[in-house]
Amino acid sequence: MPGPLSDALAWVVILTFAVGALSADRNERFARYATVAAWVGFAVFWLQLVPHFAFVHKSYVEGILAVAAVPASLYTGYLLWGGRDSLFVLSRAVAAMGIIYLPFETIPAFTLLGLAVPAPRGVLMETVADQTAFLVNAFGYHPEMIVGDQGYHNTFLFMDGDHRLTVAVVLACTGLGSIAIFAGLIAAVKAPLRRKLRAMAIAVPIIYALNLLRTTFITIAFGKQYMQWFVDEILLMFGSSDPYMVSFFISDRIISQLLAVVVLVGITYLVVRELPELLTIIEDVLFLVTGDEYDLESELGLNRPNA
C-alpha cells in the first residue's frame, strides 16, 4: 500500500536499477546481478500496490496492470539473467522513469536555511488544478476551488442541491506518470541529443494538453452528474454504494483510462518515427507479453541505429 514503506521500497528499487545502468559499461557481471535484483524488487513493489489499485482506488485498468507487472518483472529478470542483453535498455528506462517521478511522489515540503520549500507534488497538482479551472470556467462552469484533503488548493466544489460534490486534482491527474514513461524511454536509448529533444517535444506537450482536457472532462462530468448511467450496475462493478460516484467512475475509470491507452499507443508511434532506437524496448516488451520475436523496423519501414 502507498506510504513511507512503499516509497522507501520504490527508491531502493529505482536506485538499484540506476546502479545496474551506471555499471553496465564497467562491470557487466555486476550490472547483471544488480539489474536482475532490481527487477525482482520491482515485482515486489507492484505486488504490494495491487490492493490499493483494485480495492481503494477502484481502478480495474490500474489493478490489472499492477497484477500483470508482477510476473512480467520476474520474467524480465529471468530473461536478463539468461543473457537477453537488450533488456539492459529497458532497465535503464525504468531507472530514468523512477528518478523523474519519485521526487514528486515522495519529497515533502521542508525548510532550508529559513526558506520554505514546497512539496513538488503540491506545486504540480495546484498548477494543473489552476489550468483545469481555467478550462472549466471557459466551458461555462464555475465551481468553487477549495483546499483539499491533502492540504493543497487543488479541489473543485460543486453543489447538487444540498449535497457537496468535490473532485480533486491529485498527482495521478497531472500527466506526470505518462511524461515520466516517455522521458525515461527517450533517455535510455543511445541517440543524438537533437533527436531525443525532438522526441520529447512531441510527447510532453501532447500528453500535458490531453491530460488537461481529461481533468476538465472528469471535473465537469462528475460535478454536474452528467453520466448517471446504469447506476446499479456501475456501483456493483466498482463495489460502491454511493450513487453520486457513478459519473466519476464512468468518466474517469472507464472512458478516460481506456482512451488513455489508445492515446499512449498513438504517441508512441509518433515518437518512434522520430527516435527509431526505441524499437529495441518495444520489441522486448512485446516479447515479454507474447513470447514471440518481432521485427518492427521492417514492419514500420524505419531505419534503426544501434540503441
Side-chain angles (χ1 to χ4, degrees):
M1 297 290 286
L5 291 178
S6 179
D7 291 346
L9 175 61
W11 273 113
V12 168
V13 170
I14 292 303
L15 291 177
T16 305
F17 272 118
V19 168
L22 293 174
S23 59
D25 293 333
R26 300 180 180 87
N27 188 331
E28 183 179 321
R29 183 178 180 183
F30 174 78
R32 193 178 305 277
Y33 288 155
T35 308
V36 169
W39 280 109
V40 174
F42 208 37
V44 175
F45 171 75
W46 286 111
L47 180 63
Q48 57 91 32
L49 283 181
V50 170
H52 171 74
F53 286 133
F55 305 118
V56 178
H57 207 221
K58 298 185 185 300
S59 170
Y60 283 99
V61 173
E62 291 172 322
I64 291 171
L65 290 176
V67 170
V70 177
S73 297
L74 294 173
Y75 186 46
T76 303
Y78 170 78
L79 291 174
L80 184 59
W81 181 265
R84 192 177 178 95
D85 290 354
S86 60
L87 288 169
F88 276 119
V89 184
L90 175 60
S91 303
R92 290 200 302 265
V94 174
M97 293 173 199
I99 290 170
I100 294 168
Y101 184 85
L102 284 180
F104 289 91
E105 177 66 40
T106 62
I107 296 178
F110 62 93
T111 301
L112 179 64
L113 301 176
L115 178 66
V117 179
R121 66 185 293 124
V123 174
L124 183 58
M125 289 190 300
E126 290 185 343
T127 299
V128 173
D130 288 340
Q131 293 168 346
T132 300
F134 174 82
L135 292 175
V136 169
N137 293 340
F139 280 104
Y141 302 92
H142 301 278
E144 180 184 356
M145 285 196 69
I146 61 175
V147 175
D149 295 339
Q150 299 182 34
Y152 303 117
H153 196 254
N154 66 333
T155 302
F156 297 91
L157 171 63
F158 290 84
M159 298 299 299
D160 185 15
D162 294 330
H163 189 82
R164 291 165 54 95
L165 294 168
T166 59
V167 55
V169 175
V170 297
L171 191 61
C173 302
T174 62
L176 175 64
S178 297
I179 290 172
I181 289 173
F182 279 94
L185 292 172
I186 293 167
V189 298
K190 296 177 181 178
L193 179 60
R194 174 176 50 83
R195 286 199 289 114
K196 285 190 174 188
L197 291 177
R198 286 209 302 261
M200 287 288 290
I202 292 171
V204 174
I206 293 176
I207 292 171
Y208 195 84
L210 291 179
N211 183 70
L212 284 178
L213 293 178
R214 182 183 72 90
T215 56
T216 301
F217 163 64
I218 294 169
T219 297
I220 294 173
F222 172 66
K224 301 304 291 184
Q225 296 286 281
Y226 283 149
M227 294 187 173
Q228 295 299 105
W229 309 327
F230 309 106
V231 173
D232 293 337
E233 292 80 2
I234 296 296
L235 291 177
L236 178 63
M237 179 185 299
F238 288 94
S240 176
S241 60
D242 184 357
Y244 286 99
M245 290 297 295
V246 169
S247 287
F248 177 79
F249 289 141
I250 293 177
S251 62
D252 181 31
R253 299 294 190 259
I254 298 176
I255 296 176
S256 294
Q257 290 191 1
L258 291 177
L259 285 178
V261 174
V262 177
V263 167
L264 290 177
V265 170
I267 295 173
T268 300
Y269 175 77
L270 295 176
V271 171
V272 165
R273 302 291 299 186
E274 182 62 46
L275 203 63
E277 291 87 347
L278 289 174
L279 291 175
T280 298
I281 300 177
I282 298 172
E283 287 170 350
D284 275 334
V285 171
L286 290 174
F287 177 80
L288 292 171
V289 174
T290 67
D292 295 326
E293 298 285 2
Y294 291 84
D295 182 8
L296 296 181
E297 183 177 4
S298 298
E299 294 181 16
L300 296 177
L302 298 176
N303 181 23
R304 168 178 43 184
N306 292 329

